[in-house]
Amino acid sequence: MLPLPLVPFPADVDVADAPAFDLSRAGLRGDPDAATVLRSLVAARTGTDLPDGDTITLAVQGGGPMESYTLEVETTGIRITGADAAGLFYGVQTLGQFIRRDGERWVVPAVRIADAPRFAYRGVMLDVARHFHAVDTVTAYIDRAASLKLNVLHLHLSDDQGWRLELRSRPELTEKASATAVDGDPAGFYTQDDYREIVAYAASRHMTVVPEFDMPGHTHAVSLAYPEIAEAPVTDVITEGAIPVAGEPYTGTAVGFSSLRVHDDATYAFVSNVFAELAELTPGPWLHFGGDESHGTTPEDFAHFVARASAVIADLGKTPIAWHEAGAAAGLAPGTIGQYWGFVTPTDAAPEHARAFAERGGRVVLSPADAIYLDMKPTDDAPLGLTWANGPTSLERAYSWEPTEVVDGLPEDAILGIEAPLWTETVASLADIDALAFPRIAAAAEIAWSAPAGSERTWRSFRARVGGLGPLWTSLGIRFPALAEVTWTT
């Protein structure tokens, strides 16, 4: 068993038979951004500040795959080189994982690592619509995700319970539809400056923000601001949860009952306004328009809406993303990315819908709900989380799946990447996020980054390596649950 708590596991690791590097001899020089990150990590882990010097060097060297890096630790010094700034950042995160105490000293074991990611898109999603999360919570989650080499933050910015982003073209969205959340909890919205701050902070951690306005369903909040473009709630599709009332804020958790009026020109004026402004605010290539659980919309109307909404986004020069149900629409804009949220063993028409994106020139992001939906309970007795995705999702189940085996007929080159969503029906704080995301976010990160085969790419190895990250996570203020599946290092 490799003694280093490395997650995700690198492409190539060679542990040297040599004395460790003593951090008391450390002096740092090189790339200033990476140096700031490393100093912060070392201070959190050891309580000491790294002085300037030349025993640890950080550099962007070029060459090699995007986001790749090499890390060389010898008795006399440490060198990290990245193919680009992101690769150097990830090399620094790797180094932070295996700093360890040896008696009274802090040391780094002698090792050589060469590493690069498997998938280009390695994401997490945070639902800020069911429960609103302030900017500092979002940036804290960015830090947590980036430390595991995840590089996309998908923000679910609208749902039946609330609209969370200020738009100057449609001010009534935040004036009338942002004040409530699930169970009537406190809510709010991001100003445009708030959103820019989140985007910039994510970029500083080499993460791309993918914003989502969900439609034509999940739009009860829109109806509070612009009732003329919304249908009345279709309550006979609700199997559990509070019943919505037209014109009143919704604080329950039922889904599928709301819809925009898909044949009204005013609806597409709205769609054009909100995505045009979102595109101006968002430097990344993707805009997500939802498209899931539109049970109050006929299949024909749904297909009509998906075709028009995806075309609006494509015409803005952005790549549309939609949940996999949108693959049923023949008029879907070519190149649209599909996000599969069905089970590891698919049901119904989900595989057909997912494949349709690739058949039309797009690719697929995999988010199988019974593996990496982080809002699922990790154990039967967990105080937070849901169980609808085949019951509680253990850490082992979160780890033990292979992306190429989920959707038959979807080859690896048609898979853009992996995303672990965190819906927030039961999640109201950063502590709640930690309690559900960790340690299962680490499983999603390894599946997204690491090669699918190898002696250490096993559940037995992973659980040991994750256990070794406990002291680092604690020093970083992450309040993770010490699941019984893992033997945790103290």
Side-chain angles (χ1 to χ4, degrees), residues 134-146 201 430 433-434 438 478:
V135 171
D136 58 352
T137 297
V138 177
T139 56
Y141 196 43
I142 288 169
D143 281 334
R144 286 152 166 72
Y201 194 87
L430 181 59
I433 291 173
D434 284 348
F438 284 84
I478 298 171

Side-chain angles (χ1 to χ4, degrees), residues 215 268 271 275 289 304-314 320:
M215 52 185 70
Y268 298 100
V271 172
F275 282 111
F289 69 94
H304 178 81
F305 179 87
V306 163
R308 293 192 64 173
S310 60
V312 165
I313 294 171

Side-chain angles (χ1 to χ4, degrees), residues 390-445:
N390 289 329
T393 299
S394 67
L395 178 63
E396 182 175 8
R397 195 167 92 186
Y399 185 79
S400 301
W401 66 283
E402 161 53 34
T404 59
E405 296 175 359
V406 174
V407 177
D408 287 344
L410 191 71
E412 182 158 342
D413 61 5
I415 300 173
L416 180 61
I418 308 300
E419 181 180 293
L422 178 58
W423 303 97
T424 60
E425 288 93 337
T426 69
V427 177
S429 67
L430 181 59
D432 293 346
I433 291 173
D434 284 348
L436 285 176
F438 284 84
R440 292 176 299 174
I441 189 175

Side-chain angles (χ1 to χ4, degrees), residues 460-474:
R460 180 180 178 185
S461 169
F462 174 76
R463 67 189 294 208
R465 289 182 280 115
V466 163
L469 288 178
L472 173 62
W473 287 349
T474 298

Side-chain angles (χ1 to χ4, degrees), residues 379-396:
T379 59
D380 285 312
D381 59 353
L384 300 173
L386 308 174
T387 58
W388 63 263
N390 289 329
T393 299
S394 67
L395 178 63
E396 182 175 8

Side-chain angles (χ1 to χ4, degrees), residues 145-234:
S147 73
L148 292 163
K149 304 181 176 67
L150 295 162
N151 67 352
V152 173
L153 173 67
H154 170 184
L155 281 178
H156 185 76
L157 289 165
S158 70
D159 215 297
D160 293 311
Q161 295 80 3
W163 185 280
R164 305 301 183 204
L165 179 61
E166 173 195 25
L167 294 181
R168 290 168 183 165
S169 62
R170 295 283 179 161
E172 292 178 325
L173 287 167
T174 45
E175 290 171 5
K176 298 182 178 180
S178 67
T180 54
V182 164
D183 295 331
D185 286 347
F189 65 91
Y190 305 118
T191 66
Q192 295 202 352
D193 284 345
D194 290 337
Y195 181 73
R196 291 188 185 98
E197 181 181 348
I198 290 169
V199 169
Y201 194 87
S204 76
R205 301 302 190 265
H206 304 282
M207 295 190 76
T208 299
V209 172
V210 175
E212 178 189 358
F213 292 149
D214 202 350
M215 52 185 70
H218 293 273
T219 48
H220 187 82
V222 173
S223 76
L224 304 180
Y226 298 100
E228 67 275 11
I229 65 170
E231 301 285 2
V234 180

